[in-house]
Structures are given as structure tokens and as C-alpha cells.
Amino acid sequence: ENKIDLFDLQIDQQVSSYLSETAKWAKFLAILGFIMCGLLVVVGFFASSLLTRFGNDGYASGMSIFFTIIYIVLAIVYFFPCLYLYHFANKMQRALRQNDQISLTDSFRNLKSCYKYMGILFIIIIGFYVLIFVGTLISTGSRF
């Protein structure tokens, strides 16, 4: 394994303070994210029961299942970056508290995974938008 020496970078007191505060905010945001995931699941089932209650036809039943699935999928997709962020925060706090290089490395690995996941997710979302845009252009162009 190659070890890169970047001018003997070190974590001084100021950097440690910044990382500690970053870890606290990351943990806060991750916990809020977990709560939001739970709320998405609850709202998915609540919306499903509302649609079923107000409509007795097959369309309402189908839509209620569709909404439930969409909300659960959104909760699952949102769960993983929150989990990576939570692991980053915990491991960073442990690394700073115990002066532990392995925890520091693991915390940054989790932060990288969080950003990588979000980047890939945004690329997928942009791809869907492009497909919708192109599909709209094609469908409106064929009407003329």
C-alpha cells in the first residue's frame, strides 16, 4: 500500500475543533434524516388508507398501492446517505476522542460513500429529467 505524505498534514487543535463541530452537525442531520425516513413510510401508509377510504373503485386502490410503494422507495433511497453520514459522525467523534487513526480513516470513508451515493443519485435523477424532457418533446412534436 502506497502511503502519500502530503507535506506532513496534521490535525491540529483548530482542525480538530472543526471536525468535531462537523461531526455534531452530521449526526444531527443524520438523525433528522432517519426521522424523515420514518415519516415517509408513515405518510405512505396514511395516504394509502386515505385514498382507499375516499374511493371504493379499483383506481383508488391501485393508486393507494402506488403511493405507498413510492413513499417506501423514497424512504429507502434517503436512508442510506443518512446512514453513511451517521457512521461518519460517530467514527469522527471516536477518532477525535481516542486519537484513533483507524476510526478517522473509517469516518472519512463513510463521508466519501455518502457523497458518492448522493452524486450517483443526482446523476440518475438528472437522467430521468432528460428522458422526461426528450419524451415530452417527442410526444408534443408528433402532435403537430
Side-chain angles (χ1 to χ4, degrees):
E1 175 179 323
N2 291 338
K3 193 170 187 179
I4 300 173
D5 183 17
L6 296 173
F7 314 109
D8 292 323
L9 292 178
Q10 295 183 7
I11 297 177
D12 61 14
Q13 189 60 36
Q14 186 176 14
V15 172
S16 177
S17 164
Y18 292 153
L19 289 172
S20 177
E21 188 172 347
T22 300
K24 288 176 188 174
W25 280 105
K27 184 178 273 190
F28 173 73
L29 291 173
I31 290 170
L32 283 181
F34 290 139
I35 292 169
M36 290 302 298
C37 288
L39 287 175
L40 280 171
V41 171
V42 169
V43 166
F45 285 113
F46 182 70
S48 171
S49 68
L50 275 180
L51 282 172
T52 306
R53 187 171 300 154
F54 289 120
N56 293 328
D57 58 353
Y59 177 75
S61 176
M63 285 304 290
S64 69
I65 293 170
F66 175 75
F67 276 118
T68 301
I69 290 171
I70 291 295
Y71 275 94
I72 290 173
V73 167
L74 287 174
I76 291 169
V77 167
Y78 189 48
F79 175 80
F80 288 102
C82 294
L83 183 64
Y84 290 132
L85 195 60
Y86 186 77
H87 286 312
F88 159 75
N90 277 342
K91 291 179 185 210
M92 180 58 72
Q93 288 174 330
R94 182 182 319 135
L96 295 173
R97 195 172 44 248
Q98 299 175 357
N99 198 22
D100 182 5
Q101 181 64 45
I102 293 171
S103 292
L104 181 69
T105 303
D106 285 345
S107 75
F108 281 119
R109 181 180 46 83
N110 277 284
L111 186 62
K112 176 214 52 117
S113 295
C114 179
Y115 285 129
K116 184 177 178 181
Y117 183 95
M118 290 171 58
I120 292 169
L121 181 63
F122 283 124
I123 289 169
I124 292 169
I125 290 169
I126 290 169
F128 277 128
Y129 278 121
V130 168
L131 286 175
I132 290 169
F133 180 73
V134 170
T136 302
L137 285 177
I138 291 171
S139 69
T140 56
S142 66
R143 291 184 187 167
F144 295 110

